[in-house]
Amino acid sequence: MLQYLNILLDDSAVSFCHYEAEKEQRLMSIDTLRAGIRFAMMENLMIQYVFPDNTLPKEYYSVIETIDHFNIKRDGEDSDVCVVENWDFSKANANVPIVVRTTKEDLFQKYQLLNGIITQAKRINIIIKKVDSFNNDDFEEYKGILNALGEQVERAYIDGLSPQLNILTDRMMLKEMNNCGAGETTITLAPNGKLYVCPGFYYDDEADCIGDLENGLDIKNKQLYRLDHAPICRHCDAYQCKRCIWLNRKTTLEVNTPSHEQCVLAHLERNASRELLQNIRKHGTSLSMQEDINEIDYLDPFDKRDDWK
Amino acid sequence: MSFEIAKQAIDYLLDEKRNFQEDGVIWDFIGGEPFLEIDLIEKICNYAKLEMYRRNHKWFNNYRFNFSTNGLNYHESRIQKFIEENHSHLSIGITIDGTKLKHNLNRIYRNGKGSYDDVVKNIPLWQKQFPKEGTKVTISSDDIPYIKESVLHLYDLGIHEIHINCVFEDVWKEGDDKNFEKQLVELADEIIDNDLYKDFSCSFYSEDIGKPLKDNGNWCGAGMMLAVDASGFFYPCLRFAAYSLRSKKPIVIGNVKDGIDQNKLRPFLTLNRTTQSRQECIDCEVAGGCAWCQGENYDAADTNTIYQRSVAICKMHKARVRANNYFWNKLYRKLELQGTRDDFEKNRRKVKPIVC
């Protein structure tokens, strides 16, 4: 069921996920913005405004404020989610979730910067760019980083804190899949007045829309965005996985099928969460109510497909 | 296709043992008309044989070369020499559509002359060399009135196995299902009344079809095979190549230089019935034997997906199921009355299944 509408206020609106927002500035017209808000009201959708770096014309802010909403910005001030690029936390706001978009190379070199932030920030979401470029050496490196970060989180728990780092703590708290939601719970309105599965689909191909504000929403094959129509994911218990619909389509050509790399990363995180949960419990009763995470013998559920028949 | 591309494709397949763990291999040559390029094919086959042997590959003891031919030059010495040299590893099917009238509707020379007479004269030689080979017949809307007489005609020519199916494309007109059912019932009468069921088979009639389905497998074999085009691009089946598609982009899963992109193969290898079917197909009480072609599903889909099953064939399948039920009820009653059912069960023909 649809719940959220992302509104890209400008073509240069900040990317808060795996896709790259590689377009020149083009502001959404104020009429489109008004129509988008009206659409969200009629469809009962919560709006998430995605802001560009530059300041909007003054009249936009009064329109934006006509409805409940979240703000996604690079600048932490007045944001509900702030986005950090290039590991530059200078504008980040510790009181709201921080999305850290990083290349794998930067993550491998700079992950220790998170040590001081994990305990201060309300929440940290790591988004790794170009997931499909991971090779076996990268997977090993990532595994090591998850273990190192796990030790930090464990120490925080010993100190009585409950830090949130998506790649380690989400799986401990989840009892079912909690994924991307593009096309199922969330859609995106672009500056051109058209609706998209997610911003990534817009930036890839403006023609790849699922309706517009004038004629309404028309999601073809919408069942394919649901978990029960995802042949691999519906058997999976890496509940924290992004299951990025845009990455799925990019790498396997199908919105319902993740790449090998996305699956392995999610399972390395899952397994690190399992270890973290066990370690935290050694220190007392913290997280005793959470469900156990079982030991498994695979990193890509695709390899177990013969067991599903 | 150049020999160099074919060579690279063979090398890739033989190098990549990890990804091709099957015990045997079928090298399938599809044209146009493959026997027009018999010199190239012979060179390719010789290279494949030599490399399988040189690498001590397990496929050397378990390989076949497969051809679908229009049969026009089947008798020529170059073709016959190739057959003689490779006979124990060959499967050759000659495509003949049925009666002269039916065959010449579609299979004509450039000048408009029908090819039936030139094909049919090669049938005895082909049947002598490959007595177990059947022929494959595809039915479209315009073919329906000729089904009964065409199958009987192929039996008359000495072809014992007829693999026949309706096309998956949305070509069906109002009333086609009724006419189709009528043809199959009349054909059933002919086969049963004249005891043809003892020596001949027609894949339209199968006891396995027309029941609710419990298994969740995929019907189509796309992705379980590898197709390579003349330029060296890989596809999960040639139905995904540009020249086979009406409007969609081709689905290329790799090439002879870089190999297969395994991520592109994942959707094919995890396809099952329920994830691509609408609810009425999942609940269908006569779903058994209702086939689909992944390429046509993709071509006809509302989005660029292989996960939307085309249902254009639905009413034809249901007509087939009704005629099939008629066939088996009539046959078994006859056998019961004759007291020959046990004999029939003991001696019934084993039909080689052809999926696509």
Side-chain angles (χ1 to χ4, degrees):
Chain A
M1 186 183 167
L2 285 178
Q3 297 170 48
Y4 301 100
L5 176 68
N6 295 322
I7 296 184
L8 305 179
L9 293 166
D10 192 287
D11 269 353
S12 64
V14 60
S15 169
F16 56 94
C17 203
H18 288 287
Y19 66 92
E20 296 297 336
E22 289 172 333
K23 279 186 188 284
E24 298 295 312
Q25 279 188 13
R26 179 177 63 161
L27 187 63
M28 174 178 275
S29 77
I30 198 148
D31 288 341
T32 300
L33 177 57
R34 285 198 187 99
I37 292 170
R38 184 176 168 80
F39 175 82
M41 292 168 74
M42 305 296 275
E43 299 294 331
N44 211 22
L45 304 177
M46 171 60 80
I47 290 179
Q48 303 183 134
Y49 292 116
V50 190
F51 283 76
D53 287 343
N54 57 298
T55 308
L56 299 174
K58 199 175 173 187
E59 62 271 25
Y60 277 67
Y61 292 99
S62 55
V63 175
I64 282 168
E65 292 301 328
T66 57
I67 190 166
D68 276 354
H69 63 272
F70 294 106
N71 290 338
I72 301 174
K73 294 179 168 182
R74 205 184 310 277
D75 191 338
E77 195 177 323
D78 192 30
S79 70
D80 299 292
V81 173
C82 73
V83 180
V84 165
E85 290 275 0
N86 303 317
W87 293 79
D88 176 4
F89 288 85
S90 58
K91 289 184 176 175
N93 177 353
N95 296 317
V96 299
I98 300 171
V99 172
V100 180
R101 296 187 73 242
T102 176
T103 62
K104 67 181 179 190
E105 291 81 8
D106 278 355
L107 176 69
F108 295 164
Q109 283 176 16
K110 300 177 180 173
Y111 73 93
Q112 286 173 329
L113 289 175
L114 292 173
N115 291 346
I117 302 168
I118 285 173
T119 51
Q120 294 169 33
K122 183 176 180 184
R123 174 177 171 81
I124 295 175
N125 274 2
I126 303 288
I127 301 286
I128 305 173
K129 303 175 191 179
K130 296 184 179 167
V131 163
D132 46 316
S133 71
F134 270 70
N135 58 31
N136 286 339
D137 290 341
D138 297 329
F139 290 141
E140 278 303 309
E141 182 103 25
Y142 190 53
K143 189 178 171 185
I145 287 170
L146 288 167
N147 288 337
L149 290 171
E151 288 173 14
Q152 294 297 318
V153 174
E154 184 185 342
R155 264 183 229 122
Y157 265 90
I158 294 168
D159 294 340
L161 301 171
S162 301
Q164 289 191 37
L165 176 62
N166 65 330
I167 55 178
L168 276 172
T169 61
D170 282 4
R171 178 59 185 84
M172 296 196 302
M173 305 300 172
L174 290 168
K175 291 181 178 171
E176 59 184 22
M177 277 289 191
N178 184 351
N179 318 120
C180 155
E184 187 191 9
T185 61
T186 309
I187 54 172
T188 292
L189 175 66
N192 62 4
K194 293 182 178 171
L195 298 160
Y196 295 85
V197 171
C198 86
F201 285 71
Y202 168 64
Y203 287 109
D204 273 1
D205 180 6
E206 284 197 34
D208 196 7
C209 68
I210 51 170
D212 57 49
L213 294 174
E214 206 167 306
N215 301 298
L217 193 60
D218 179 21
I219 306 180
K220 301 258 177 15
N221 278 323
K222 63 182 177 186
Q223 78 281 0
L224 296 181
Y225 299 98
R226 294 201 315 255
L227 184 64
D228 61 346
H229 273 71
I232 298 175
C233 307
R234 66 181 185 160
H235 297 282
C236 181
D237 76 343
Y239 299 148
Q240 88 297 343
C241 177
K242 307 281 185 313
R243 203 163 83 81
C244 172
I245 300 295
W246 173 76
L247 265 181
N248 287 357
R249 219 257 319 248
K250 178 170 180 269
T251 52
T252 70
L253 307 180
E254 293 288 344
V255 295
N256 66 352
T257 307
S259 67
H260 169 72
E261 294 79 13
Q262 194 173 183
C263 285
V264 172
L265 284 182
H267 281 76
L268 291 171
E269 293 163 4
R270 176 210 179 275
N271 292 346
S273 298
R274 176 177 181 273
E275 198 172 326
L276 176 60
L277 181 62
Q278 287 176 337
N279 290 341
I280 290 171
R281 282 175 173 170
K282 285 176 191 166
H283 301 290
T285 56
S286 298
L287 303 177
S288 60
M289 300 297 284
Q290 302 305 317
E291 284 183 8
D292 288 338
I293 302 172
N294 296 329
E295 185 170 14
I296 52 175
D297 62 357
Y298 58 88
L299 288 174
D300 184 351
F302 175 81
D303 296 336
K304 307 297 280 187
R305 63 192 182 280
D306 289 343
D307 296 349
W308 306 335
K309 287 173 183 161
Chain B
M1 177 181 282
S2 68
F3 174 69
E4 188 53 34
I5 291 287
K7 183 173 169 297
Q8 287 177 32
I10 290 166
D11 287 343
Y12 172 73
L13 281 155
L14 297 180
D15 283 343
E16 286 289 316
K17 286 184 184 170
R18 195 170 60 89
N19 288 326
F20 301 104
Q21 296 183 2
E22 291 72 12
D23 291 333
V25 65
I26 297 173
W27 306 96
D28 196 355
F29 294 87
I30 298 172
E33 168 48 43
F35 283 160
L36 286 175
E37 292 288 344
I38 189 64
D39 293 339
L40 173 64
I41 281 171
E42 187 170 26
K43 197 173 171 188
I44 292 170
C45 290
N46 285 342
Y47 181 76
K49 285 187 286 187
L50 183 69
E51 284 302 302
M52 287 189 290
Y53 175 76
R54 193 180 65 78
R55 296 163 191 246
N56 196 24
H57 196 288
K58 65 179 173 182
W59 290 349
F60 183 70
N61 295 314
N62 193 8
Y63 71 90
R64 296 198 77 71
F65 297 124
N66 199 43
F67 296 88
S68 295
T69 171
N70 62 25
L72 288 175
N73 60 357
Y74 186 82
H75 60 286
E76 287 178 7
S77 57
R78 288 182 309 160
I79 313 293
Q80 286 300 308
K81 178 175 162 283
F82 176 78
I83 290 171
E84 194 180 328
E85 286 171 0
N86 294 282
H87 188 271
S88 62
H89 290 281
L90 280 184
S91 300
I92 298 179
I94 291 185
T95 306
I96 181 161
D97 288 346
T99 61
K100 184 172 182 173
L101 175 69
K102 163 77 175 70
H103 184 91
N104 285 346
L105 279 178
N106 296 310
R107 298 186 180 274
I108 54 174
Y109 290 103
R110 203 173 279 177
N111 63 9
K113 183 191 157 210
S115 63
Y116 174 86
D117 290 336
D118 295 326
V119 178
V120 86
K121 70 184 180 193
N122 282 327
I123 297 294
L125 175 61
W126 168 58
Q127 282 290 296
K128 188 178 158 202
Q129 291 171 327
F130 300 98
K132 289 182 181 168
E133 286 293 339
T135 193
K136 193 171 183 306
V137 180
T138 310
I139 302 296
S140 189
S141 179
D142 294 343
D143 304 316
I144 291 172
Y146 307 101
I147 292 174
K148 181 185 76 172
E149 62 185 39
S150 290
V151 171
L152 294 174
H153 180 72
L154 294 171
Y155 288 169
D156 281 344
L157 290 175
I159 301 170
H160 287 252
E161 281 187 21
I162 314 296
H163 304 285
I164 187 164
N165 66 276
C166 292
V167 297
F168 296 101
E169 286 76 7
D170 190 7
V171 297
W172 308 108
K173 302 185 190 100
E174 188 69 32
D176 275 354
D177 53 336
K178 291 291 170 201
N179 294 331
F180 180 56
E181 179 184 321
K182 185 166 172 280
Q183 282 286 314
L184 295 199
V185 166
E186 288 176 11
L187 178 60
D189 287 338
E190 291 284 344
I191 291 172
I192 295 167
D193 294 347
N194 297 305
D195 291 340
L196 296 172
Y197 59 87
K198 291 177 180 172
D199 294 318
F200 297 91
S201 71
C202 172
S203 64
F204 270 143
Y205 310 110
S206 161
E207 284 180 286
D208 298 331
I209 74 161
K211 299 175 181 67
L213 270 181
K214 286 183 183 152
D215 87 276
N216 194 25
N218 191 28
W219 175 277
C220 176
M224 308 294 283
M225 65 187 100
L226 181 67
V228 55
D229 71 6
S231 304
F233 289 108
F234 289 151
Y235 305 89
C237 162
L238 279 184
R239 186 67 176 78
F240 290 92
Y243 55 78
S244 302
L245 294 163
R246 293 187 295 277
S247 55
K248 294 272 167 53
K249 284 184 195 165
I251 293 188
V252 175
I253 59 167
N255 60 62
V256 292
K257 287 197 175 71
D258 304 318
I260 295 174
D261 178 346
Q262 296 293 336
N263 278 333
K264 300 279 192 307
L265 211 46
R266 284 163 77 89
F268 289 91
L269 299 183
T270 49
L271 267 168
N272 56 41
R273 191 167 62 92
T274 50
T275 46
Q276 63 184 303
S277 301
R278 53 174 81 180
Q279 197 60 41
E280 80 175 272
C281 294
I282 294 170
D283 297 337
C284 179
E285 294 191 344
V286 294
C290 183
W292 60 85
C293 163
Q294 224 64 58
E296 171 57 20
N297 286 0
Y298 172 66
D299 217 358
D302 295 325
T303 59
N304 291 333
T305 184
I306 57 171
Y307 278 83
Q308 182 189 341
R309 184 170 157 193
S310 166
V311 291
I313 206 170
C314 177
K315 65 179 184 178
M316 304 305 286
H317 172 70
K318 286 174 177 164
R320 178 193 174 198
V321 167
R322 290 191 294 271
N324 183 60
N325 291 342
Y326 173 87
F327 178 93
W328 291 104
N329 280 316
K330 175 165 178 162
L331 177 60
Y332 281 139
R333 187 63 184 154
K334 176 178 179 174
L335 296 172
E336 293 288 350
L337 290 172
Q338 288 176 340
T340 56
R341 182 158 177 177
D342 287 347
D343 284 349
F344 173 78
E345 297 289 1
K346 219 178 290 172
N347 300 315
R348 68 194 304 173
R349 289 181 63 80
K350 298 267 187 299
V351 180
K352 195 168 59 176
I354 294 182
V355 173
C356 189

